[in-house]
Amino acid sequence: MNHAKKTALAAATVGISMLCGCSKLPFDPLTAAPNFDTTYKVAAEIVYDDLTAKADVTRKGASEWVFSFTEPKQLNGVTMSLGADGWSAKLGELSFNVDDNDVYTLIPEVIGASIDSLSALPNESLSSEDGVLTADTEFGGKKVTVTANRGGDLISLKCPYHKLSVNFTEQQPYTPFDPEQGGLVTEE
């Protein structure tokens, strides 16, 4: 199919949808989906049942996440890392064990695993409405819905089964610190 026919087909689909009053369209397979497999930092407001928390979240790579909590007061300064070696948690120089079944590990696991799964989703499983992409994925067999803008910046994550809702803001690219470039070496 040549480019003119593809463009006419896309325009016809949009036109028919507008006439039907349908504003939610499947993601256009002729358009490339955003690359969800990137590194970034993003602010997150996390609501889990009655708990509300805020964290700066860093995706260092596939299955490598750092959650630096700023609220509530009980979690302020706690940094949780998930990676190939499992979980670790710190408060300043103090490290402590975290149970895999603890609510504080479940929240980052649902968020991290659900977002990590987005890069494997086919375009057909994405929908678009008013420039917002919606993807339905799963964590532990339970539905998780993630929204993002067309550039791939996260907007929200919802997992009704776990009573989890996350709003994301201020997403920025993350570049790992290169000690060869000088400066202080710090661990997150």
Side-chain angles (χ1 to χ4, degrees), residues 64-86:
E64 289 199 44
W65 294 84
V66 176
F67 289 76
S68 301
F69 288 92
T70 57
E71 291 183 26
K73 182 172 65 171
Q74 300 87 332
L75 290 176
N76 187 19
V78 172
T79 300
M80 297 182 69
S81 299
L82 173 64
D85 298 331

Side-chain angles (χ1 to χ4, degrees), residues 10-20:
T13 302
V14 170
I16 290 170
S17 296
M18 292 173 111
L19 290 173
C20 296

Side-chain angles (χ1 to χ4, degrees), residues 8 39 62 75 83 107 125 131:
T39 59
L75 290 176
I107 293 169
S125 64

Side-chain angles (χ1 to χ4, degrees), residues 4 13 19 28-29 31 46 49 56-57 64 66 93 95 99 101 120 122 152 154 167 173 175 177 181 185-186:
T13 302
L19 290 173
D28 181 2
T31 306
I46 303 164
D49 203 13
D56 295 321
V57 179
E64 289 199 44
V66 176
E93 295 299 315
S95 294
D99 183 16
N101 297 320
L154 299 172
N167 289 316
T175 305
F177 178 77
Q181 298 297 318
V185 176
T186 60

Side-chain angles (χ1 to χ4, degrees), residues 10-171:
T13 302
V14 170
I16 290 170
S17 296
M18 292 173 111
L19 290 173
C20 296
C22 305
S23 61
K24 191 167 186 176
L25 298 171
F27 187 71
D28 181 2
L30 302 175
T31 306
N35 181 8
F36 290 110
D37 193 20
T38 62
T39 59
Y40 50 83
K41 291 181 102 168
V42 64
E45 181 177 67
I46 303 164
V47 177
Y48 176 81
D49 203 13
D50 291 333
L51 171 72
T52 299
K54 290 185 180 180
D56 295 321
V57 179
T58 304
R59 184 178 190 269
K60 292 184 168 186
S63 301
E64 289 199 44
W65 294 84
V66 176
F67 289 76
S68 301
F69 288 92
T70 57
E71 291 183 26
K73 182 172 65 171
Q74 300 87 332
L75 290 176
N76 187 19
V78 172
T79 300
M80 297 182 69
S81 299
L82 173 64
D85 298 331
W87 278 106
S88 66
K90 291 183 180 182
L91 178 59
E93 295 299 315
L94 178 65
S95 294
F96 48 97
N97 294 330
V98 180
D99 183 16
D100 280 339
N101 297 320
D102 189 85
V103 66
Y104 297 112
T105 58
L106 177 65
I107 293 169
E109 282 186 60
V110 172
I111 295 168
S114 299
I115 293 171
D116 281 342
S117 72
L118 296 179
S119 61
L121 292 176
N123 281 359
E124 295 79 38
S125 64
L126 299 173
S127 62
S128 177
E129 183 175 359
D130 299 327
V132 175
L133 300 178
T134 301
D136 288 325
T137 186
E138 292 184 354
F139 176 82
K142 306 302 180 196
K143 181 180 175 180
V144 179
T145 301
V146 180
T147 61
N149 67 22
R150 281 215 172 258
D153 291 350
L154 299 172
I155 297 171
S156 70
L157 178 144
K158 305 231 185 294
C159 182
Y161 178 82
H162 291 292
K163 299 177 184 171
L164 175 64
S165 175
V166 185
N167 289 316
F168 299 101
T169 57
E170 304 171 22
Q171 185 166 324

